Amino acid sequence: MTSEPTKAIKCLALGREYRITYGGWQDLQYVDDVAKIFVRCLEAPYQGAKSYNVRGHVVDQATFHKALCQVDPAAVKLITFGDRQIAIAYDLDDAALQRDLGPMPLTPLADGIRLTLEHFKNLQAEGRLDTADIDV
């Protein structure tokens, strides 16, 4: 399932309007950071089974939108968002993960948006951008 902020970035890459249906707070994680965290967990020298929270940038939609507009000013007119907080646990504590495995990668929010937008634009230029999740 593609998150609405990711769909918004994809629509921005295509020059399409998109409305994130909710507002409020959420935890945004850059996929490359998450992959690196998984690899670090796989390589960790401990035994047993542990469960960890992965934390990215806990921001509200206004903060996400501001960062999106800084990356690409076209977002001002193309991307909007609602005001309803969705019922999600968005502020999870990753202290145990940090304690056991050390500092985790955390790409700055604007950089993650920029890299994602560039990736989508490159895929679009190659004719390989999947739009099934945004074509209605």
Side-chain angles (χ1 to χ4, degrees):
M1 183 169 110
T2 307
S3 74
E4 287 202 42
T6 302
K7 290 178 186 178
I9 297 169
K10 188 181 285 189
C11 284
L12 183 59
L14 296 167
R16 293 186 189 177
E17 293 182 355
Y18 187 80
R19 178 167 179 79
I20 298 172
T21 60
Y22 58 89
W25 293 84
Q26 64 184 356
D27 183 5
L28 298 174
Q29 300 161 349
Y30 181 56
V31 68
D32 190 63
D33 293 342
V34 175
K36 288 175 181 171
I37 292 167
F38 280 133
V39 169
R40 186 171 309 166
C41 288
L42 288 170
E43 296 174 343
Y46 63 81
Q47 294 181 354
K50 294 189 178 185
S51 176
Y52 296 110
N53 294 320
V54 175
R55 183 184 177 99
H57 294 280
V58 177
V59 298
D60 62 1
Q61 285 301 337
T63 300
F64 168 74
H65 190 261
K66 181 179 177 182
L68 188 62
C69 293
Q70 288 172 344
V71 169
D72 186 339
V76 171
K77 293 186 178 185
L78 292 175
I79 309 302
T80 59
F81 58 93
D83 58 4
R84 177 185 52 91
Q85 175 67 53
I86 56 174
I88 57 169
Y90 59 83
D91 195 11
L92 300 175
D93 182 7
D94 69 346
L97 176 64
Q98 301 277 348
R99 180 195 64 232
D100 291 354
L101 298 173
M104 293 293 119
L106 184 62
T107 301
L109 180 61
D111 291 348
I113 291 170
R114 180 183 48 76
L115 291 165
T116 302
L117 182 61
E118 288 173 2
H119 179 68
F120 287 151
K121 285 181 176 182
N122 290 336
L123 289 174
Q124 176 64 12
E126 296 168 2
R128 299 187 309 122
L129 183 61
D130 180 3
T131 59
D133 59 341
I134 57 172
D135 287 334
V136 183

